[in-house]
């Protein structure tokens, strides 16, 4: 496969993360061609030029359509705010580019459907940025479950909590507007849902409660404004095979910084994981002498591929940004037609469908089945 | 107050725990009269005599009505299986005894109501054994919440998990019969509900899902029998003041031995606690410089009364049985008319009402409001 | 064996702990006679009477010699400050009593030798209060090592830290006087040394450094007084079989409350334990697939005898005072001639010999071999 | 400053780590010129070409002297086995290149001295790869200590443990030869010593014990060979200001994978850190109400510069390789004459001097003062 030409739209949190991945993927993995960093788009020309220089891109533009029109660009990283995803991703796909779009697809389900339609029509690879599934620890958990290490899974709990909106006197900003979405439900829950999908498949039925810890927030210009969506969501769920699950998401959870805590119970053991300590997980297996049974704390190690591509010694730890490098590598494999572990637009749409069903079940105060 | 004469019915897990408490309470606290261990009842005379000798009781009987008729007995500890609680507790109350009955009150709500009626009619102290609320750590958590240390509480999660029924090939026994109750819901949930009640008051609305991880279990005599109730229960709840809560209980949770994990989120901080490490809790307060904020792990210490009555040095640890000694001390205070922290039959009935509402919400697949 | 008559001298921290054990041992274990609490001695008659009432002793005295002369007393608990141990223990032994004396034996080695001589001459059971070895977790660790679960042990680290002297502006008190001993070395190190002895036998060679974090302390009456001993001690050691060990003790270690952290490394695995979480330990075994190796956190359970005598369910936790009940039970076994796990005066003297050798190695700045 | 031209000698564990850093430093930090990856040297031409392609270097050579002679190369990363460091580093310095050499400088102290002499003579920047000091957590710890957050430090403990040599039946290889060094002492201890130096300055006096857990090891060709050096080392140390410290290093410590556990005790608090969880540390401050004192677990966050350059959200975690990117950034600053936090050859020589003194103190069984 010839080297891929890369375009990057957006250079914030995730834009930089993509740039780091495109810069590092060849050095880490060796088995792909070094990507050619062709074109970078930002909101204005000055910032675009600055970031292109920093991130190593050859060209910069204030008009993302230039980038999509660039024949040297084969793949487009879309890392802009969510409302721009549909237009950009669809344009890129229509221009014959592969697309690597940050999650979620779109605030409106209909737009997400259009994105999938465009992906199907294009025949190109269209992937969503759900990097937590790329953690070698998560891969090992999937392997263990597949091997029957904890028997048949019957119950799952997953919590996703941060505290960036926990201060009731922080100024009102767009994340508290209804236009931005349901709140924690779409802002957060797609991450744990991607993990559930990766490990167990899709959600089949849900009932949701949502939490609005603060009725209003101060405005910078004085006065207060009502909070329009919900910072917390709690969901009872059923997955295939009769698995019951509980999802709890909260972006006003003081003290939690990047918690995605997963507990998986099976007929022969259980597994616990927390993203705040992403280089370890706990495994309990109900075998051997009872007096020595206990949760085993397993540290990330070269045996957990592809940790070995980063560090040849165990226990030294990957970082959050490394997960994006792994995702980038999977994407390149997908483009080359090799087997890969990614979240396609098809998978992603199904995740977002779950989220909308959850919101509906809250408003209608009843269980909703997801087709 | 003259020394109390004690009667003990039942000498299993909780019976022994009561006996230890009656033996120790004076030595630990000093400020009460040493109880006189008068009468012990067990299923047969031989066992009754053996246990009376072990536990230090003067008289033994195979007929618990002897004990209740004993004029030297002032307080009766009822620690028999749940179905016997109503008859024994009511008889004791009618005989003018104070009653210290293990939780839950009764399998049937109507029986629990009769117990409360008997307590009211008797004018005696009628207390339920909910010892987790007696942990000095839990008291400190209550104090902190009352002081506003974490602001206004808006969200709570509580998990109660053990694994004594996690093995699918363990023989069927009575805990899997419907006659014994709903399963985890009443077997377990009353404990976390007692903590929620102690800290925040009663539950107002619920919706429940229940989990039956194993459809059937082997019989000792060969063949298999259907499991009739549910080893897991997950409940979305609303408490007063708009607090949302999630309760998860599971007695087939491999790896969990005595977990009661509580997370409490407020507008200024949060608290986390796990009964498996009952001598510590974590406190997060959103004050001071951001670079040094974090969960503070607080070890049990003499500052957490009445830890100081047991050990004058911090960090040395109380045990599960010590909580019953504290409960015993509170009971004696209640009998003497002093302020005390106990779960009365009135409180206990309200807890059990919640449990029945949870079961109903599962069967009817809808939210239930609790009057 | 007829019931033992008990005498208790001293009712402070350890005196109360002994009293609780004597009150509880029969109820917990069942297999011994209920001790008869005969005689209690304290510094003055009023306090003696008060404590006798609280602790359940029949007689009280301000003269401990009365207690030793009491023919109904078979065993004497000696829980007074260390400097009184020799006189009291020797008098008790000479009067034909068994002795249960708190550690350490005596500030001066010559006095400790006299205590051993008296014990030998008496033919009575003379035991030291080293309750940490009674923890069921410690017993399980010993069992595991004996079974070869971690292969041949080659290296050990043990830390004992508290912070009751960590405040440099706390008033000078007797623990900073040279007359009270070396400081952390004798005040603390005997505890970890008892664990090392219990698990591996005696120390053979040592070199020590000692730490005086604060040169002086304020006096209540104004002015300051020089601190005369050392709050910290660090020791390199050799045990039998070429095992290297490091001992660190510090009573000015801010944040540590009751830490006794033990790490044991062998040719096939390792074990870690911390007294601040006395109901668990970590076991690493280098077997099975590398990708799932890790430290297993083992919670106290009925499989760890005699935890089962206290609680029939796993993970519920013993407390510090429960260890003394187990020690009491072992003592009764020893008196009855049954096998028991205790620290005799003989063992204790050898532990104290190590401590004095450590102090010598510090002052002479060289390795000392212990005969 | 014009872009630096980079040469890389060696492409193993550390070579790849350097390559990742040179590729990422501009994207992460933005404030430097993007390095030009000029020349890569490996043991043979084929491997050199392969790695140059993977790592993004323009030229490849099997003769490292070509690289040093390359006028486009400004900085040379030396990541070969330790015995090659002196020759390569000195040649590079003599050719006017800046040098970034992995630790330790050289097996023989005299060679390390020559390296420092060459650095001084060259006037170039000569830096050692001690990346653990670059962890934002470690920087925050240094800041806190500097601010007096834990008062005057009086005692330190540091443990460095891995288990790659813990299997006694693993084949003998060069790390067990005396020619490779003392064993854990130089292989490992330089890392914790770099942390002590970074935080507190140099070691002043030492006494050492060393541990050889296995006398011999099997040979691939059959038979066994004596182990010639020591897998474990334990050192009592004194630092400036009367600080006592204990250093423990062990490369046969089953279960430990990348442990560098640091405990720092001061007059007002304490700090604990473990490299296996490199995104957090524990801080205890003896202020506020006693009932809420405890170790605060602080997660890595943007407030801990330069974490913010990698990730704008707290609690998401850096990885081991990210530390090398930070070190690379500091190196570029040093070359440009800006203030920087690095370990120069001068500092590094002093660290290695400590190591040799430790070895001497072991062989002579006595305290050694370090000038």
């Amino acid at each position: 496969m010839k080297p891929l030409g890369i375009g990057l739209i957006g250079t914030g949190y995730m834009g930089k993360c993509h740039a780091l991945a495109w810069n590092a993927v060849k050095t880490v993995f060796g088995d792909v061609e070094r990507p050619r960093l062709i074109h970078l788009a930002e909101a204005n020309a000055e910032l675009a030029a600055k970031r292109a220089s920093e991130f190593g891109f050859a060209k910069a533009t204030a008009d993302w359509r230039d980038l999509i029109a660039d024949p040297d660009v084969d793949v487009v990283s879309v890392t802009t705010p969510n409302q721009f995803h549909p237009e950009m991703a669809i344009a890129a796909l229509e221009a014959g580019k592969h697309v690597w779009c940050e999650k979620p697809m779109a605030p409106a389900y209909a737009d997400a459907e259009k994105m999938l339609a465009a992906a199907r029509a294009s025949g190109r690879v269209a992937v969503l940025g759900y990097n937590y599934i790329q953690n070698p620890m998560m891969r090992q958990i999937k392997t263990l479950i597949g091997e029957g290490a904890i028997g048949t899974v019957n119950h799952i709990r997953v919590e996703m909590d941060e505290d960036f909106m926990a201060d009731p006197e922080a100024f009102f900003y767009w994340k508290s507007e209804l236009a931005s979405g349901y709140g924690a439900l779409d802002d957060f829950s797609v991450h744990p849902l991607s993990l559930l999908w990766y490990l167990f498949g899709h959600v089949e039925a849900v009932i949701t409660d949502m939490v609005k810890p603060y009725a209003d927030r101060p405005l910078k210009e004085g006065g207060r404004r009502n909070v329009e969506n919900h910072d917390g969501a709690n969901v009872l769920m059923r997955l295939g095979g009769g698995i019951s699950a509980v999802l709890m998401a909260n972006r006003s959870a003081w003290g939690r910084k990047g918690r995605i805590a997963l507990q998986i119970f099976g007929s022969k053991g259980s597994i616990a994981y927390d993203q705040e300590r992403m280089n370890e997980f706990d495994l309990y297996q109900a075998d051997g002498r009872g007096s020595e049974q206990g949760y085993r704390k397993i540290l990330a190690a070269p045996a957990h591929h592809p940790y070995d591509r980063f560090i040849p010694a165990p226990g030294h730890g990957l970082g959050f940004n490394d997960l994006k490098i792994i995702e980038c590598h999977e994407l390149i494999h997908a483009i080359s037609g090799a087997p890969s572990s990614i979240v396609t637009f098809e998978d992603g749409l199904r995740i977002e469908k779950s989220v909308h069903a959850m919101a509906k079940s809250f408003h209608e105060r009843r269980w909703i089945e997801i087709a």
Side-chain angles (χ1 to χ4, degrees), chain A:
Chain A
M1 196 171 83
K2 79 170 178 60
L4 292 168
I6 311 305
L8 171 66
I9 313 180
T11 64
Y13 186 171
M14 278 301 119
K16 187 171 187 173
C17 195
H18 277 235
L20 284 164
W22 287 121
N23 270 283
V25 64
K26 170 67 174 176
T27 304
V28 170
F29 285 96
D31 65 352
V32 295
E33 292 299 316
R34 177 167 286 262
R36 294 160 50 240
L37 310 190
I38 303 293
H39 218 135
L40 180 150
E42 249 301 345
N44 65 66
E46 192 182 7
L47 183 60
K50 181 169 164 26
R51 291 284 180 256
S53 159
E54 288 173 12
F55 295 178
F57 282 75
K59 290 177 265 183
T61 177
D63 181 352
W64 59 271
R65 294 185 181 278
D66 293 345
L67 182 156
I68 282 174
D70 187 332
D72 291 341
V73 169
D74 301 303
V75 188
V76 179
S77 282
V78 179
T79 72
T80 49
N82 303 344
Q83 67 262 37
F84 302 114
H85 292 178
E87 185 179 17
M88 291 172 176
I90 291 168
L93 288 163
E94 287 176 352
K97 314 301 189 192
H98 306 288
V99 169
W100 187 14
C101 181
E102 274 307 303
K103 65 89 220 168
M105 296 173 83
Y109 187 68
D111 286 334
E113 284 182 312
K114 285 179 198 157
M115 291 170 74
L116 174 56
R120 283 183 176 154
S122 73
R124 297 295 159 167
V125 171
V127 167
L128 291 162
Y130 274 109
N131 47 323
Y132 292 121
I133 71 164
Q134 304 296 348
N135 187 338
M137 299 285 85
M138 205 50 66
R139 291 189 178 189
Q140 188 64 17
I141 289 171
K142 186 177 170 71
T143 297
L144 286 166
I145 292 170
E147 291 174 353
I150 60 167
T152 304
V153 171
N154 54 59
H155 181 48
I156 303 160
R157 297 176 194 158
V158 60
E159 301 167 81
M160 178 161 182
D161 302 305
E162 299 190 10
D163 65 1
F164 64 92
M165 296 184 74
D167 183 354
E169 294 309 309
F171 288 123
F172 188 101
Y173 79 123
W174 63 269
K175 286 223 170 193
S176 288
E177 291 178 26
L178 192 54
S180 78
Y182 306 116
L185 195 60
D186 38 4
D187 197 20
F188 268 26
S189 303
V190 291
H191 277 304
L193 287 171
S194 74
L195 297 180
L196 292 188
W197 163 80
Y198 175 69
L199 297 172
F200 307 106
H202 285 295
V203 175
E204 300 190 348
V206 296
I207 184 157
T208 302
D209 192 19
M210 282 165 55
V211 189
K212 188 184 287 186
Y214 313 124
D216 52 32
R217 288 180 176 278
L219 292 164
K220 281 187 188 160
E221 58 271 30
R224 301 183 75 86
R225 178 172 165 186
N226 284 347
V227 170
E228 297 170 0
N229 54 20
H230 293 81
D231 289 349
N234 306 307
V235 190
L236 306 182
M237 303 190 299
R238 288 298 180 109
L239 279 69
I243 298 175
S244 80
V246 183
L247 167 70
M248 293 150 279
N250 195 330
R251 59 190 190 184
S252 288
W254 271 125
R256 304 303 187 190
K257 306 301 180 181
R259 179 171 168 89
I260 306 181
L262 184 61
Q263 297 178 68
I264 305 166
F265 297 97
S267 58
K268 293 183 179 171
S270 61
I271 288 172
Y273 169 84
D274 182 352
Q275 178 68 23
E276 284 184 358
R277 287 175 170 169
M278 59 174 271
N279 287 289
E280 60 191 61
F281 69 95
D282 292 330
L283 170 66
Y284 184 96
Q285 290 180 291
D287 52 20
R289 199 163 65 169
S291 51
E292 278 85 57
Q293 285 180 13
Y295 276 100
R296 221 175 306 150
K297 185 160 295 299
I298 298 168
L299 292 181
H304 309 120
H305 186 72
Y307 176 98
D308 56 305
R309 296 304 313 165
F310 292 83
I311 310 168
H316 283 59
L318 300 190
F320 174 80
N321 288 336
D322 293 330
L323 304 185
K324 193 57 86 180
I325 302 174
I326 301 173
E327 190 176 69
C328 184
H329 186 244
E330 294 294 325
L331 168 66
I332 297 174
H333 271 276
I335 290 171
S336 73
S340 64
S341 179
I342 48 171
V343 179
T344 64
F345 276 20
E346 199 134 15
D347 304 319
L349 188 70
R350 185 58 169 74
I351 288 171
E352 294 182 32
K353 191 173 183 182
S354 306
V355 169
H356 293 287
M358 287 171 190
K360 189 175 178 193
S361 90
F362 169 62
H363 290 297
E364 303 185 358
R365 289 174 63 78
R366 64 177 182 89
W367 281 91
I368 301 278
E369 312 284 326
I370 306 171

